[in-house]
Amino acid sequence: MELGPLEGGYLELLNSNADPLHLYHLYDRMDLAGEEELELCSEPDTDTINCEQFSRLLCDMEGDEETREAYANIAELDQYVFQDSQLEGLSKDIFIEHIGLEEMISESVEVLEEAGQKSQKRPFPEELPVDLKHRKLAEPLAMPVVTGAFLVGLVSESSAQPCPSPPALFNKEPAPSQTRLEDTVPPSSSLLSCLSLPAGPIQIIPTLSTLPQGLWQISGAGTGVSSILIYQGEMPQASQTPASSSTAVHSLPKSPDRPGSTSPFAPSAADLPSMPEPALTSRTNLTEDEMSPTQCPAAHEASSKLPKWPESVEQFYCSLRNKYQAKPAGPEGILVEVDLVRVRLERSGGKSQDRELTTLDWAERQPARGSLGEVLLASSNHRRPRETQVIAVLGKAGQGKSHWVQAVSWAWACGQLPQYDFIFCIPCHCLDRPGDTYRLQDLLFSLGSQPLSVDDEVFSYILRRPDRILLILDAFEELEAQDGFLHSAGGPTSAEARSLRGLLAGLFQRKLLRGCTLLLTARPRGRLAQSLSKADALFEVAGFSAQQAETYVMRYFECSGTTEHQKRALALLQSQPFLLSHSHSPTVCRAVCQLLEALLELGDEAQLPSTLTGLYVGLLGPGARDSPPGALVGLARLAWELGRGHQSSLREGQFPSAEVRVWAVAQGLVQPTPGAPETKLAFSSFLLQCFLGAMWLALSSEIKDKELPQYLALTPRKKRPYDNWLEGVPRFLVGLVFQPRACCLGALAGLAGSTSAVRKQEVLTRYLKRLQPGALKAGRLLELLHCAHEALDAGLWQHVLQGLPAHLSFLGTRLTPPDTYVLGSALEAAGRDFSLDLRSTGVDPSGLGSLVGLSCVTHFRAALSDTVELWESLQQHGEAKLLRAVKEKFTIEPFKAESMKDVEDLGNLVQIQRTRSSSEDTPGELPAIRDLKKLEFALGPILGPQAFPKLVKILEAFSSLQHLDLDSLSENKIGDEGVAQLSATFPQLKALETLNLSQNNITDLGACKLAEALPLLAASLLRLSLYNNCICDAGAESLAHVLPDMVSLRVLDVQYNKFTAAGAQQLTASLRKCPHVEKLAMWTPTIPFGVQEHLQQLDSRIILR
């Protein structure tokens, strides 16, 4: 058969008489020769199919404009066939299976008997008779068929006797490599009837290269054929409609050598680049769990009999699991599961494009409940099918992100993440190599810790099942030099080598490994935050709680083999509340354990320092005494220079000498980078790098004195500002410079080498004493308090305390446990009264209680939900005195409701008030409700009408309310119904002085309702605003009638309404009877300007515009 040029749309090609096997050869020859038309062989051999050429054919087809229409028509045809009522209850698998088997047989026979003869073109579905639609289903095989190596036949219904095992059929034992029939067929199968082949000729068909599932191979000597195939189940007859409850017939399996589509005409899935598995395989009844390597023991036992993966893939899976299952020895292997909290990123303000974590109140935090697998599974439930999902886990340096990644990898290796077949964890600090190019297989197999060697079969399997892959990029901030990758070009091919930016672009633009789960860990600040904000799910590592920190300390000494020191270590840590508060950071917690271990070995007189500076001086001091000359100072210089370049990794050639390198590795100051060459090292922690950088600033003569204050980052310059990437430097610098030299810098560099610190102390003292703490923003004020605490200088501490303002607002500034401790210490030592605003700080309940429980704090504001949670906690612990004091100090004045949660929280507070009033032991009102004088409502046009009825129900509780503002820039639109509900509360609002109903879509009906209730406020109401509503003449007339009764009213604003000159004249006439009214704002575009001027001449209290 010859084929001409492939012209026209691919839908025409689909309905042509062209054999797909011939297309392979045609495309191959056209691609190679391209000069002449070659005659194709009428008996193609499937082993000679060039799948690479077919892949290129598919790529060309994707670019054709008619492809989408062709695919749509194919989908309609699929729906037309499979939704027919006659196929109800019959799985798609049997349809495909029977059709495919019959067509393979019939077409092969045609090739043998009528070689060279043209086959008839297949008609469209609408051209077929209705009764022919299931013709192939109704016609069973009329004869047994030998397919070169196999004999295919049906199990006869007439033979109901027990069927002997396959070896008994030929009186031979099966070969060890063959699967026994009784091991694969369930006892209840219909195959337990004896094999009976109908009489008739046997035809030889050489083209059945793929063994369909449901056909079992039985081999034995003396049979005349190499093997026999037994078909499972019965062929449905034309008169029978299979019941929907019948046993599902298995679909065609994957070819052992070509996992993917089972059709002999389809290319191998392994040869197609980055195509999803469902596009390449037939419809199957296998579930995800059955395809997953991590399943229940019963499923694993069954899979051991019938291997579901090629041997090379199975071996790679085992090696990868062993790699992640191995825990590091010693303290490195301690895994304390930290909590994750759902967060979001927002712009930091101003013109800056930097994004920072949104600071949520403690009650607003949404902890990710469940195990690691449940968290990842819940995050993937909302993604679109076959789309790459990006999950970002954020947290400051030292919060335990990398340890969390280790926990994820270990959980997968232990079978706790069955939704993933493979996990690849890549530390990003081994990726950013200038000039290097990468392929996708390099990223997966060569760059992580302990690179694994794999073959093409493993990589092909991964490309076919990207939805079963979890790719982890740890410490993503190390790649901030590649921050423009979202807009870079990234192609879909995986074999092509490209730059790191191009590789990241392919992953994030969902072109490479499309459908995988991409998990990132990074710090929440920096240039990459814009990329992280587009992640599908954002989490924050919350750090250690107090209980988790204690657990870590216990496990540390357990791993070190000194369990006798556990209780003593915990007692020493609890005696230093500042270090205990810092133990929420796993990095600091480990440093504390290391120092405790060294101190407890010296004797019972051990004592922890009271500052972070003292902590690291205690860790580095003993090693510095035995170091090579200048080793620690040289390492400090390296830390500072790398930090200025936003780097933490260093190469062997950067050390001052090989001796310094050996000493630094032996002391644990630097350690090999996982996945990087042996010559590449990194500082053991980011906080250690900050300490060494601050040490260089304190000792170096290269740093000019006038430049030193900028590194405190308290008053950043507008020109060339210091970016403060090493964010721990300011505190360490002040601590190193101000603390006594003998036990600080002198212990690290010697007294002779630390003489320059005296001059630098004088410079910093002048700078810090010029600062006015009350003029600093909340974040910088906290940093100043930390610096003063690290200095251990009484004069500097008192200067900062004297400058603290009486009202301290930390609105929107995150308060960590160390911040809470330092702030509480400062307030207590100041000897004055303070009021605090702690809204949107994320302060934990224990920190909130410690701050508001201080006697010097007279008033405080915090989130209503956080405060109620604190009250409940105090009540449960029986702290009645502190509970009473906290309730007296709490205030919500003024209160602005901007969300539905605000209204609900206010309702909860009122409910507590009502419950409290009903109890006999605690009578009286809550001060927060009793003293509220101003209430604003600004929820907008959507939530406003929904939330306002809830607000109205609790308004009567605020008996001291003086200002009710229902105006919003986005317009609340409470409407006439809202005004009617509000008017019913006027009898309880005896102190109301200002009522703002502007921009609420109020018509004449609402104005009349309001006018009827206004006399109830005649004695108190001073200002009434109905600006920008829809009040017409009837509403204006009703207001004019009630105006003389409002004896206390001073200002009435009815501008931008819809009443005409008639309504304006009514108001003007009523105004003459109200000498107490000072101003009537009445301009509106529906009144002629001349009329308004005339009315203003009659009464000067009328204001226009």
Side-chain angles (χ1 to χ4, degrees), residues 237-251:
Q237 302 299 321
S239 61
Q240 297 176 349
T241 301
S244 59
S245 60
S246 61
T247 304
V249 180
H250 294 285
S251 61

Side-chain angles (χ1 to χ4, degrees), residues 17 123 157 197 262 364 489 502 528 616 738-739 748 811 852 885 908 978 1054 1057 1082 1100:
N17 58 355
E157 294 182 6
L197 300 179
T262 57
E364 289 181 319
L528 284 176
Y616 278 90
F738 279 87
Q739 288 189 19
L748 299 175
L811 178 64
V852 303
N908 293 336
V1054 289
N1057 278 277
M1082 198 174 57
S1100 60

Side-chain angles (χ1 to χ4, degrees), residues 502-518:
L503 187 63
L504 293 175
L507 289 172
F508 279 83
Q509 295 173 13
R510 294 166 169 84
K511 297 179 180 178
L512 281 179
L513 215 60
R514 182 172 182 175
C516 71
T517 300
L518 190 59

Side-chain angles (χ1 to χ4, degrees), residues 50 570 736 922 937 954 1063:
N50 192 328
L570 279 177
L736 289 170
T922 55
F937 180 83
I954 60 176

Side-chain angles (χ1 to χ4, degrees), residues 44-101:
D45 187 358
T46 57
D47 293 336
T48 63
I49 296 174
N50 192 328
C51 292
E52 182 179 356
Q53 301 297 332
F54 185 74
S55 301
R56 289 201 293 267
L57 174 61
L58 289 181
C59 294
D60 293 343
M61 290 174 67
E62 289 181 0
D64 188 79
E65 296 179 355
E66 301 181 7
T67 303
R68 293 185 178 179
E69 181 180 356
Y71 287 163
N73 292 336
I74 294 173
E76 292 176 2
L77 178 60
D78 179 273
Q79 184 178 9
Y80 168 77
V81 172
F82 289 119
Q83 288 188 355
D84 192 275
S85 60
Q86 297 186 39
L87 283 180
E88 184 178 6
L90 185 63
S91 67
K92 298 179 181 181
D93 299 328
I94 190 172
F95 181 88
I96 297 173
E97 187 173 315
H98 290 185
I99 293 297
L101 181 62

Side-chain angles (χ1 to χ4, degrees), residues 859-871:
H859 296 88
F860 78 94
R861 291 202 65 179
L864 288 174
S865 51
D866 291 353
T867 305
V868 171
E869 183 177 346
L870 174 62
W871 290 350

Side-chain angles (χ1 to χ4, degrees), residues 427 429-431 433 446-451 649 651 672-681:
H429 44 65
C430 65
L431 292 180
R433 305 172 189 169
S446 304
L447 296 177
S449 59
Q450 305 175 15
S649 302
R651 300 185 182 275
T673 303
E678 296 181 359
T679 57
K680 191 171 184 179
L681 302 172

Side-chain angles (χ1 to χ4, degrees), residues 9 16 62 165 285 300 309 341 423 481 543 593 606 641 670 843 847 1006 1009 1062:
S16 69
E62 289 181 0
S165 61
N285 290 330
H300 184 70
W309 284 352
V341 180
I423 282 184
C593 290
E641 292 176 350
V670 295
V843 59
K1009 291 285 186 182

